[in-house]
Amino acid sequence: MPPHAGAGHRHPTHPTVPPAAQRPGGPWAAWSPCTADRCLPAPATTGRWRLVRRAAVLLAVLGLALLTVPPAAAAGPRALGPVLRALHRAVLRGAGVRLVVRGGPLAPPDGRGALVVADHTSWIDIPALGALGPVTMLAKREVRDWPLIGTLGAVVGTVFVHREGLSRLPATVATVTGALRSGALVGVFPEATTWCGAVGGDYRRAPFQAAIDAAVPVRPVTIALTTPDGRPTTAAAFVGGQSLGDTLGRVLRLPGLVCEVRVGELVEPGTDDRRGLARRACDHVRRPVPAPGVRAGPG
């Protein structure tokens, strides 16, 4: 993946990534070297009214979601899917993010489910995937406790996982396997935490075991955030000790962002074990072959 650099912000200098066993919390803990002071451009000093205006729009979208998502979920997937796609696009548009989609769709043409994988940089990644199709996301358990967002996530079937709870891992893999066998698109960020986008983390292998067990392919997706004039930027990254409010406020102050989503070719499990499948999926995400055709959302 090419280095990202915002206006006046050079490619961040990261410390050497230590072996997994030497990382804080041990080899299984979610970890990233990215921090706000190391990876993000200086906070914007302009855009206050832009922030207020966009925040009001996003609150209106959230209110609309609270009114429309529960009855749509009760009506079934055919009703819920279009509602969620429209809401995710509205979130991006309201935040000043223009969505550009290359390739697609996410779902395999034969009706099977698929494990949708992408690197994780920003909260923007989630509505970007949701704008493409009905994706059941895996999320850290803490998200379930977020006001309103956690409630909506539970209503639409988000799978909340304990990232450090190894004893719960087999049950999580079984849940994901069942969803994939039923034909669902299950979205996961295998790095298990956010990185700044200039560099990326190792892929956790457990979700790929679910794809192998369900005999479904992996759909690699590359998400790139740039300024409107095409320069890569880390400004939207959700890293270090930031809160959701911090990173949201930073994005809402920006003149604009472009979120380009490239949908890669399916990666079939074949004879790979989960380690090999994770490695192949990571290679596709970070060195994608541009798919023919462009579908551009209004953003």
Side-chain angles (χ1 to χ4, degrees):
M1 178 177 292
H4 286 194
H9 181 61
R10 302 183 67 187
H11 175 39
T13 301
H14 288 271
T16 301
V17 178
Q22 298 176 17
R23 296 174 188 173
W28 300 106
W31 177 85
S32 166
C34 299
T35 62
D37 58 347
R38 180 182 292 126
C39 301
L40 302 185
T45 57
T46 59
R48 179 180 302 176
W49 292 113
R50 187 183 296 128
L51 181 152
V52 171
R53 183 177 68 253
R54 289 174 174 170
V57 172
L58 291 182
L59 285 174
V61 173
L62 182 59
L64 181 62
L66 290 171
L67 291 174
T68 58
V69 168
R78 289 192 176 182
L80 182 61
V83 169
L84 290 180
R85 286 194 294 274
L87 288 171
H88 282 127
R89 287 181 177 266
V91 167
L92 295 173
R93 191 162 46 242
V97 179
R98 183 167 68 90
L99 178 66
V100 176
V101 181
R102 300 187 184 276
L106 292 177
D110 58 8
R112 287 181 296 167
L115 187 72
V116 179
V117 302
D119 284 351
H120 197 13
T121 299
S122 171
W123 60 269
I124 294 172
D125 303 336
I126 297 171
L129 289 179
L132 271 64
V135 181
T136 299
M137 295 300 303
L138 263 67
K140 61 182 180 180
R141 189 209 57 80
E142 292 87 345
V143 173
R144 180 63 181 88
D145 298 329
W146 290 4
L148 302 181
I149 295 175
T151 300
L152 286 172
V155 169
V156 301
T158 300
V159 178
F160 298 102
V161 300
H162 293 256
R163 294 184 302 187
E164 284 80 36
L166 292 181
S167 63
R168 297 181 174 90
L169 192 57
T172 300
V173 171
T175 298
V176 175
T177 300
L180 292 170
R181 283 175 176 159
S182 72
L185 301 175
V186 179
V188 61
F189 302 116
E191 294 165 296
T193 189
T194 47
W195 291 59
C196 72
V199 291
D202 298 334
Y203 275 14
R204 301 295 181 91
R205 298 186 292 273
F208 298 95
Q209 185 62 54
I212 292 171
D213 291 346
V216 302
V218 174
R219 175 70 80 181
V221 176
T222 302
I223 302 172
L225 296 172
T226 67
T227 59
D229 59 1
R231 290 172 296 164
T233 179
T234 61
F238 188 0
V239 294
Q242 291 187 103
S243 68
L244 179 60
D246 293 335
T247 185
L248 183 61
R250 180 185 286 272
V251 169
L252 298 189
R253 281 179 176 267
L254 295 173
L257 281 173
V258 176
C259 177
E260 180 180 291
V261 180
R262 290 185 176 182
V263 180
E265 297 297 324
L266 292 172
V267 179
E268 297 286 351
T271 58
D272 277 333
D273 61 11
R274 59 185 181 181
R275 182 190 300 272
L277 184 58
R279 182 169 56 250
R280 284 204 290 141
C282 183
D283 287 344
H284 278 72
V285 168
R286 293 178 183 174
R287 294 192 296 274
V289 177
V294 176
R295 293 188 293 116

